Amino acid sequence: MTDNQFDNQNEFDEMVNFNFVIHIHLKKRSARKTQTIIVGIPEEFDLNKIIRFWKKQFNCTGGIISKDEDYGDQVTIRLTGDNRQQIAKFLVEEGIALQDNIKVHGI
């Protein structure tokens, strides 16, 4: 796709539809152990493929939870360790979300 295909940014935004917010949280499990929790990635993306890449890239474990007691019915991804900044960077670079659509909590 070339840059000249879209006359302005609004046409691109309407086509991609960035009407969602992704929340990235940090949760402490114990004195030294933490979990990165990602909530709000649209289900149109292949979450299994994304989490498989993250687990290899960040050298951690994790999983997808369909119904989380803390975050309701939204699909939740949990990874061990503090990977908030790397995940936010990945989501922007891969075009999954805009920087304005990502909220990093617990900084």
Side-chain angles (χ1 to χ4, degrees):
M1 188 177 295
T2 63
D3 293 336
N4 298 339
Q5 283 186 307
F6 298 106
D7 293 332
N8 59 25
Q9 186 66 29
N10 291 334
E11 285 184 28
F12 178 75
D13 290 344
E14 288 175 10
M15 186 182 114
V16 177
N17 190 10
F18 288 115
N19 293 332
F20 56 87
V21 177
I22 297 174
H23 295 275
I24 304 174
H25 300 273
L26 184 69
K27 183 176 182 180
K28 272 196 153 297
R29 292 185 345 181
S30 65
R32 296 177 58 185
K33 306 287 183 179
T34 58
Q35 281 187 333
T36 303
I37 300 169
I38 304 100
V39 181
I41 296 178
E43 294 182 19
E44 61 197 39
F45 295 103
D46 188 1
L47 298 179
N48 287 321
K49 196 172 190 179
I50 292 171
I51 195 169
R52 193 174 329 121
F53 175 79
W54 284 344
K55 286 164 66 173
K56 287 181 183 178
Q57 186 72 24
F58 307 141
N59 195 23
C60 65
T61 61
I64 299 172
I65 302 169
S66 59
K67 291 187 178 183
D68 192 357
E69 59 193 35
D70 296 332
Y71 301 101
D73 291 338
Q74 292 183 328
V75 175
T76 304
I77 297 174
R78 291 180 180 249
L79 299 173
T80 57
D82 185 3
N83 302 306
R84 294 171 294 174
Q85 298 303 322
Q86 298 99 318
I87 290 171
K89 182 179 175 185
F90 171 84
L91 293 172
V92 172
E93 287 177 353
E94 294 299 319
I96 295 174
L98 299 174
Q99 186 66 40
D100 297 339
N101 297 86
I102 299 173
K103 304 294 183 203
V104 180
H105 302 280
I107 295 177

